[in-house]
Amino acid sequence: MIKLNEIKRAFLVSAWFIFLTFPIMVIRINPVEHIVEWRWKNMALVGIGSFFLSFVWNYLMKQKEPGFKKTETAEKTDTIPPLPPARRIQREKRIYIPALVAIGTLTIVFPFIFSMYQTNIMVSALIYIMLGLGLNIVVGLAGLLDLGYVAFYAVGAYAYALLNYHFGISFWMALPIGGVLGAVFGILLGFPVLRLRGDYLAIVTLGFGEIIHIILQNWNEFSFGPSGIANIPRPSLFGIDLSVHSSTIYIYYIMIGLCIVTIFVVNRLQNSRIGRAWVALREDELACQAMGIDKAKTKLTAFALGATLASMAGVVFAAKTTFVNPASFTIWESIIILCIVVMGGMGSIIGVIAGALVLILTPEYLRAFSEYRMLAFGTMLVVMMIFRPGGFIPDVRRIYKFEGVKSMDKS
Amino acid sequence: MLKIKNIQTFYGNIQALKDVSIEISEGEIITLIGANGAGKSTTLMAVSGIVPPRSGEIFFMGEPITDMEPDKIVSLGICQVPEGRRIFPYLSVTENLDMGAFLRNDKAKIKKDMEYVFDLFPILADRRHQAGGTLSGGERQMLAISRALMARPRLLLLDEPSLGLAPLIVKKIFEIIGKINAENNTTIFLVEQNANLALKVATRGYVMENGRITLTDSSKNLLANEDVKKAYLGF
């Protein structure tokens, strides 16, 4: 079963890993006693671990190859390719409706059964879901790689902070104003980059994100510089100021509401004409022009909508933390949001939600291993790209058209 | 119907079209033949407004369209089937067709037109839920033509529909081009390298060389013309 050359290969892999990790896993310099510690036990662990992991890896790689184990199932289902399990769950009403009800009740009772800490984490995860869905319009649907998305998030957060500081505008007023401001900034960025695609667009948007960041950092009279703006009020419920605990719960429900609205809007848009125009524009600009699609307008709506969502998320962020400063809006945030979209599955709503939950919640719950966070993140990205290049839950569009052939002919 | 008057088009410093004038009347099939790089596709791009000319004028039904945006030109009733098909690979056949009707809002008529298109190319009806990218070359060409028809054009611009297709399929596509013209009175402006076939389906033809129109005549005369025969028909 296990061939000799497989063992040989696994052995080589483990030798290579021992060599690679030798400096960090085995040698330790003790600066107090001026001695070098040799941790041979670690070397043995790395060797044995990588030896077995290489078998697992080989098995998974083989399974990925076409033809492995799948030949039988393909014959049984005549010509229609079997759906992947995640998709099948969505199709089956018997599984799908109870699951939806369960998730729904869980989200409603969540703040009452879990601690405030958990609720707080969940609120930030929900903010990232909203950001992910917004970026999904720009990157996933319209195919415009935006690396400065965090700028719009900052616009929203600072809009609320500054409007409140100068004019005492409340959260509920700031939310729509922030959204409008986000759209304006989205269009402002959109105009100069209309002609750009791919790498060039990525660089310009990256620059835009940095510009906003640097302005916030250095323009002291406007944004109070790196010290930020503190004492931003939490949202009030019909004029009543809530305690910290209950306002966390309140923000949680606000975020749930905003997420539901976002999901609804994005879902409707995706299947509308403008949504299809975005996808078409991603695929072929010239053909779109030949079909009479207004390139500029279509791209700008994508930018503006994505920016509106980010900006509204920013308003909630400012209200949640009651403090904003430029450190919250670095390029790193943009990359995390982009990772949420790419790892979750470009263009797929459920994928983006799953991506946001995984990427935001796991680091929180694995605080004990926070030193290895970057390592784990990198490994996860590499593994994902090999085994699930389309993301956790890829876009529906690609599968749905294969599957309906028969049922349509009957109707 | 369409009047191109002395247009000059540049790509950077390189002049692609030199003083090109073409006239098309309603209901005609006109063909523009020429070698690679002669400027045939550029002429179509100029009409569509995607590559606007630097000088000269283009009129459609008496209205100047020289500097119009591409989407406005489509809304006037000029639709292009771009070279190399350029269908949307991740959209299904039906969705591709729906993109063709992007500027129309009359749902019932769109549905009827879709039925008409499926009548013209029954193979597309079988494949209606497949992604555009999974179609064969001939099916893609059929889809590209159908997609353009969904815009209900009064003038259909076809850019090398025979490109890279088997002779049998080319023949079928040219039959249908004739049929579209006969049934709907759609004016067709056909750009081709396959001069023989193009001249057989067209009423008149223009010959283009190095960005200039060098010859224009009825198809019959062009087919008999010795120079054309030598250069494009391979006799």
Side-chain angles (χ1 to χ4, degrees), chain A residues 5 20 38 40 51 79 110 116 124 131 134 191 196 205 215 223 259 284 301 328 349 366 370 381 401:
Chain A
N5 63 348
L20 271 185
W38 300 90
W40 299 111
F51 186 79
T79 65
F110 187 89
M116 201 176 123
S124 47
L131 288 169
F191 260 115
L196 303 178
T205 51
I215 286 176
S223 66
C259 278
D284 199 321
T301 43
S328 310
I349 294 174
L366 300 177
S370 59
L381 272 174
K401 69 241 156 180

Side-chain angles (χ1 to χ4, degrees), chain A residues 39-346:
Chain A
R39 297 173 294 173
W40 299 111
K41 210 176 89 188
N42 278 355
M43 190 178 98
L45 281 177
V46 167
I48 295 165
S50 52
F51 186 79
F52 283 107
L53 275 180
S54 99
F55 276 114
V56 175
W57 181 264
N58 268 335
Y59 173 74
L60 289 173
M61 287 303 271
K62 252 189 223 160
Q63 208 172 31
K64 197 169 83 86
E65 275 165 26
F68 179 84
K69 264 190 179 177
K70 278 179 187 162
T71 36
E72 297 166 44
T73 46
E75 277 164 31
K76 275 179 211 159
T77 54
D78 41 12
T79 65
I80 302 166
L83 292 168
R87 190 66 50 205
R88 224 161 353 190
I89 289 170
Q90 283 173 42
R91 296 267 155 194
E92 283 277 336
K93 276 219 166 128
R94 253 177 307 159
I95 313 169
Y96 164 85
I97 288 176
L100 205 67
V101 169
I103 293 169
T105 27
L106 185 68
T107 43
I108 289 169
V109 299
F110 187 89
F112 299 109
I113 46 174
F114 290 101
S115 68
M116 201 176 123
Y117 168 68
Q118 308 279 1
T119 315
N120 246 323
I121 293 172
M122 208 30 134
V123 171
S124 47
L126 286 169
I127 289 177
Y128 277 92
I129 288 180
M130 199 165 159
L131 288 169
L133 288 172
L135 188 62
N136 184 38
I137 295 178
V138 185
V139 177
L141 295 180
L144 306 161
L145 183 53
D146 186 349
L147 288 182
Y149 192 63
V150 77
F152 305 123
Y153 186 38
V155 164
Y158 269 86
Y160 177 38
L162 288 171
L163 284 174
N164 184 271
Y165 182 85
H166 293 298
F167 309 109
I169 282 176
S170 73
F171 173 82
W172 288 111
M173 283 290 288
L175 197 61
I177 295 174
V180 171
L181 266 176
V184 169
F185 272 81
I187 291 169
L188 270 182
L189 169 67
F191 260 115
V193 301
L194 274 177
R195 300 160 58 99
L196 303 178
R197 272 188 82 88
D199 319 359
Y200 305 101
L201 179 69
I203 289 170
V204 174
T205 51
L206 185 77
F208 178 76
E210 281 304 288
I211 287 169
I212 298 269
H213 179 69
I214 287 168
I215 286 176
L216 294 178
Q217 186 112 37
N218 295 303
W219 193 1
N220 281 334
E221 297 77 34
F222 172 71
S223 66
F224 302 97
S227 54
I229 303 165
N231 291 328
I232 303 165
R234 295 189 171 83
S236 59
L237 181 64
F238 303 115
I240 311 159
D241 286 325
L242 299 162
S243 69
V244 177
H245 181 80
S246 42
S247 80
T248 307
I249 296 175
Y250 184 45
I251 290 177
Y252 172 83
Y253 284 122
I254 291 172
M255 248 351 268
I256 289 281
L258 280 175
C259 278
I260 289 171
V261 171
T262 311
I263 292 167
F264 179 74
V265 169
V266 174
N267 188 35
R268 295 292 297 169
L269 277 172
Q270 220 167 14
N271 298 317
S272 73
R273 205 161 246 199
I274 178 98
R276 243 172 288 156
W278 286 333
V279 177
L281 205 64
R282 175 182 79 193
E283 289 174 13
D284 199 321
E285 283 194 7
L286 195 138
C288 275
Q289 284 183 304
M291 293 301 97
I293 295 167
D294 190 338
K295 210 169 82 174
K297 211 169 79 187
T298 315
K299 276 191 181 177
L300 285 180
T301 43
F303 264 118
L305 257 165
T308 308
L309 292 176
S311 197
M312 286 167 93
V315 173
V316 178
F317 171 79
K320 177 200 163 229
T321 52
T322 71
F323 171 71
V324 288
N325 77 341
S328 310
F329 309 106
T330 53
I331 171 78
W332 178 237
E333 293 297 309
S334 290
I335 289 173
I336 289 205
I337 304 166
L338 188 65
C339 281
I340 286 174
V341 176
V342 173
M343 291 182 80
M346 283 225 247

Side-chain angles (χ1 to χ4, degrees), chain A residues 273-274 276-295 298 397-398 400-405 408-409, chain B residues 45 50 70-71 74 79-80 82 86-92 95 98-105 110 126 128-131 134 147-148:
Chain A
R273 205 161 246 199
I274 178 98
R276 243 172 288 156
W278 286 333
V279 177
L281 205 64
R282 175 182 79 193
E283 289 174 13
D284 199 321
E285 283 194 7
L286 195 138
C288 275
Q289 284 183 304
M291 293 301 97
I293 295 167
D294 190 338
K295 210 169 82 174
T298 315
R397 194 178 285 285
R398 287 172 205 182
Y400 132 97
K401 69 241 156 180
F402 283 109
E403 189 251 347
V405 180
M408 274 307 285
D409 287 348
Chain B
M45 289 298 177
I50 296 170
D71 52 293
V74 174
C79 200
Q80 194 194 153
R86 286 179 174 266
I87 52 155
F88 304 116
Y90 286 117
L91 296 181
S92 71
E95 283 173 322
D98 198 51
M99 290 315 297
F102 188 77
L103 294 174
R104 294 171 54 189
N105 280 320
I110 290 176
D126 297 340
R128 64 175 86 182
H129 294 288
Q130 274 189 14
T134 63
R147 188 180 62 182

